Amino acid sequence: QYLPVESAFAAATVGGIVATNDAGPLRHRFGTPRDLLIGVTLAMTDGRLVKAGGTVVKNVAGYDLGKLVSSSHGTLAAIVDVTFKLLPIPLASTTLFATYADGKALAHDVAVLHGSQVELTSFDVSVSAQGRWVLLLRMASSPAATDAQAAEARRLLSSAPTMVSGEDEQELWAEQSRTPWSEDRTIVRFSWLPANLPAVVTLHESLRGHGCRITMFTGRTIGAGLLRLEGEESAIVAAISDLRGSAVVGQVVLLRATRRLKEQVDVWGGSSGVTDVARLLNQKFDAAVILDAGWGPI
């Protein structure tokens, strides 16, 4: 068995991955760390150690507390240890990748595959350095099932795909996770509804109108992606403003930027109804403001 949790950072800790709810391409099939967490021990700000959940899936008591601290960025409690649900290691794995000159053609193929019987373990989109759209899909199961799924996926794709497996496949997906962070540039994370991928493609192309260069885009087809932006600070600010003002995009967060840019843009995207609830929880967990000095999401 194995834990299908990935991170782009070799030095990432288990607590850090849970606190940020960081997830890679395997999120398409298995969800984020929050979805795999079944038990947690927390160090509270008053010195207590609190345990919730259990060591087996059958024990459901306290699940909510573990899910609450996932993506809390350490603002509620310190994560001491966690228990995850494990899954069987697949006996076979194959990846197909196809390139497109037109992002709308890629979005069409994504919709076709979402509506098919093909069961994908990972399903990603990205834009190459040459400006071409790339679709990556991984199937992992028994050898016979994997071959059948790959054959059906090849039949449905409008662009002839290339098939990889073994070490080449592992390196392909590792690079997919590392690429957004390979350069010290401005990085923005945003989300969308899966059905809105065609609109996201159009929005991606319109951001260039401010003189902002999009040097990288990669994301999960289920609706979460990263943009790496370059250009004048005013152009980047305008691009982020367009993202936050779009009806098809949500939860725009500035993950990496210079100090000057962070002074011009709200990193977390401003207050909302969800933020207000989170602040009330924060007051209950950390009334003395020991963990959150105002830099986190709440």
Side-chain angles (χ1 to χ4, degrees):
Q1 293 187 320
Y2 80 124
L3 177 63
V5 169
E6 305 158 302
S7 176
F9 307 99
T13 64
V14 172
I17 289 174
V18 172
T20 58
N21 205 31
D22 187 24
L26 287 173
R27 174 181 179 176
H28 180 81
R29 178 68 176 273
F30 303 111
T32 65
R34 175 190 282 118
D35 301 304
L36 298 168
L37 191 150
I38 60 175
V40 65
T41 301
L42 304 175
M44 312 303 290
T45 55
D46 60 5
R48 290 178 299 152
L49 283 179
V50 175
K51 294 185 178 181
T55 57
V56 293
V57 177
K58 187 176 181 180
N59 180 4
V60 298
Y63 272 19
D64 290 347
L65 186 57
K67 294 181 182 299
L68 178 64
V69 297
S70 300
S71 202
S72 66
H73 292 260
T75 58
L76 300 178
I79 300 171
V80 178
D81 62 54
V82 295
T83 303
F84 290 106
K85 174 174 64 177
L86 303 181
L87 291 106
I89 298 175
L91 299 177
S93 179
T94 295
T95 291
L96 301 178
F97 70 90
T99 58
Y100 302 78
D102 181 9
K104 293 181 180 179
L106 175 143
H108 174 267
D109 279 5
V110 168
V112 170
L113 285 165
H114 274 312
S116 73
Q117 297 299 312
V118 179
E119 295 184 3
L120 300 174
T121 302
S122 302
F123 196 14
D124 271 24
V125 295
S126 62
V127 178
S128 69
Q130 295 73 33
R132 294 181 65 85
W133 290 82
V134 181
L135 183 62
L136 300 99
L137 47 153
R138 173 167 52 189
M139 295 130 289
S141 184
S142 67
T146 299
D147 291 344
Q149 295 283 327
E152 177 65 7
R154 292 176 72 97
R155 185 184 70 81
L156 294 174
L157 291 172
S158 62
S159 177
T162 300
M163 180 180 294
V164 295
S165 58
E167 293 183 1
D168 291 340
E169 180 187 24
Q170 295 177 17
E171 180 56 31
L172 177 68
W173 287 105
E175 185 63 23
Q176 177 75 353
S177 296
R178 290 193 302 258
T179 295
W181 308 97
S182 60
E183 297 181 17
D184 189 16
R185 305 288 183 180
T186 301
I187 297 177
V188 175
R189 182 182 66 208
F190 64 105
S191 62
W192 64 88
L193 293 175
N196 287 338
L197 182 57
V200 171
V201 169
T202 301
L203 179 62
H204 174 277
E205 296 169 350
S206 70
L207 294 179
R208 304 177 191 274
H210 297 291
C212 179
R213 298 185 301 279
I214 300 175
T215 59
M216 183 281 312
F217 167 69
T218 182
R220 322 283 89 88
T221 61
I222 55 174
L226 300 175
L227 281 174
R228 189 166 64 217
L229 306 175
E230 293 185 19
E232 299 292 332
E233 287 182 353
S234 58
I236 294 176
V237 170
I240 295 174
S241 177
D242 280 1
L243 281 171
R244 288 177 171 164
S246 171
V248 299
V249 167
Q251 298 180 332
V252 180
V253 178
L254 187 60
L255 295 184
R256 176 182 286 179
T258 63
R259 182 179 295 273
R260 285 182 53 187
L261 185 59
K262 289 179 180 180
E263 292 173 349
Q264 301 176 55
V265 178
D266 188 307
V267 172
W268 299 101
S271 180
S272 66
V274 174
T275 308
D276 294 339
V277 173
R279 286 195 177 120
L280 290 175
L281 286 169
N282 181 254
Q283 292 171 10
K284 294 293 185 180
F285 277 77
D286 185 19
V289 195
I290 294 173
L291 296 176
D292 185 10
W295 300 315
I298 50 176

